[in-house]
């Protein structure tokens, strides 16, 4: 873990409820793709957020914070960042946390699965894999409730077009009549597309209750537990 101070460079809306935050650390940030950071509000008050940027961007950390409700965990963190930005003061960070970073040395095809703002966790890995010219298939599934939540759809389609073996598959739970892509739950789309998950490494982020269900369903669909990664595993049975 690295303790850093950082300036809040910008806060901008991605959707009605999701904001992009850009932080400029005082020193180069050292982390792996898939790590998260903690925003320190107080000695015993630290808020965890996935790092959306690639580790090659050592002088700019990107967060995607989904926040609604005045007293919510994320909204309080966002208000802290806004106040720091307005007053031009630095915030305190703990960077490089987590045990579910991407492991390209395994040299296996990958499923990157995100529910909602879990997108930021797998976006960091997707960008990094493109940078290192990862030569195995990479399937990026992003599940949302409404089409309007696919705030990075064009960006990820461009990512998929950058390599012949990269694919981006958005999945909309409550799709409109005009939606032509996958519908329903994101992990069920994975199991529909892939006959067996046995050869894949699987990285996933989303609500803890969702991740527990996905883990069990994927194991029943052939996934090997030793090649499944989610920080949520540390908090669920």
């Amino acid at each position: 873990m690295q303790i850093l101070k950082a300036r809040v460079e910008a806060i901008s809306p991605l959707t009605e409820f999701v904001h992009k935050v850009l932080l400029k650390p005082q020193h180069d940030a050292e982390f792996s793709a898939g790590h998260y950071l903690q925003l320190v509000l107080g000695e015993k008050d630290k808020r965890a957020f996935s790092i959306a940027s690639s580790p090659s961007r050592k002088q700019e950390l990107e967060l995607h914070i989904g926040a609604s409700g005045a007293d919510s965990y994320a909204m309080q963190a966002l208000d802290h960042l806004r106040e720091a930005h307005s007053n031009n003061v630095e915030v305190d960070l703990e960077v490089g946390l987590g045990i579910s970073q991407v492991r390209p040395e395994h040299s296996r095809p990958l499923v990157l699965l995100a529910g909602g703002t879990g997108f930021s966790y797998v976006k960091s890995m997707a960008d990094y894999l493109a940078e290192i010219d990862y030569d195995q298939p990479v399937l990026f599934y992003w599940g949302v409730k409404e089409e309007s939540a696919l705030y990075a759809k064009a960006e990820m389609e461009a990512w998929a077009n950058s390599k012949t073996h990269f694919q981006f598959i958005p999945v909309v739970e409550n799709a409109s009549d005009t939606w032509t892509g996958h519908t329903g739950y994101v992990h069920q789309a994975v199991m529909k597309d892939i006959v067996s998950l046995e050869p894949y490494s699987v990285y996933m982020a989303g609500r803890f209750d969702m991740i527990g269900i996905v883990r069990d369903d994927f194991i029943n669909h052939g996934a090997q537990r030793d090649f499944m990664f989610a920080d949520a595993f540390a908090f669920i049975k």
Side-chain angles (χ1 to χ4, degrees), residues 160-172:
N161 289 333
S162 70
K163 300 282 189 298
T164 57
H165 51 282
F166 286 4
Q167 293 184 56
F168 170 62
I169 305 100
V171 183
V172 179

Side-chain angles (χ1 to χ4, degrees), residues 29-111:
E30 302 292 343
F31 63 98
S32 297
H35 274 157
Y36 65 90
L37 61 73
Q38 290 189 138
L39 174 66
V40 181
L41 274 64
E43 185 178 345
K44 297 183 178 180
D45 188 359
K46 301 175 182 182
R47 312 292 173 99
F49 298 100
S50 294
I51 302 171
S53 44
S54 169
S56 63
R57 290 168 56 186
K58 296 178 182 295
Q59 271 294 307
E60 185 177 70
L61 296 167
E62 180 178 331
L63 309 179
H64 296 178
I65 299 179
S68 61
D71 295 323
S72 71
Y73 175 100
M75 185 61 79
Q76 290 169 0
L78 192 58
D79 287 343
H80 179 81
L81 291 162
R82 284 169 170 157
E83 184 177 356
H85 186 238
S86 296
N87 296 326
N88 196 29
V89 297
E90 294 177 318
V91 295
D92 294 310
L93 306 175
E94 296 176 350
V95 179
L97 300 166
I99 56 171
S100 300
Q101 68 273 21
V102 72
R103 293 158 167 83
E105 67 274 11
H106 289 168
S107 194
R108 293 163 61 89
L110 307 181
V111 169

Side-chain angles (χ1 to χ4, degrees), residues 145-156:
K145 287 193 175 296
E146 313 288 344
E147 294 164 54
S148 59
L150 293 169
Y151 56 83
K153 182 172 180 286
E155 178 183 357
M156 296 319 301

Side-chain angles (χ1 to χ4, degrees), residues 32-35 51-55 100-103 110-113 118-132 134 138 140 156 159 166 202-205 229:
S32 297
H35 274 157
I51 302 171
S53 44
S54 169
S100 300
Q101 68 273 21
V102 72
R103 293 158 167 83
L110 307 181
V111 169
L112 310 180
L113 181 145
F119 169 81
S120 56
Y121 164 72
V122 287
K123 179 185 182 298
S124 175
M125 292 191 285
D127 287 347
Y128 173 71
L129 291 167
E131 290 172 3
I132 66 170
Y134 191 68
V138 181
F140 187 137
M156 296 319 301
W159 166 84
F166 286 4
V202 180
Y203 297 85
M204 47 193 175
F229 305 95

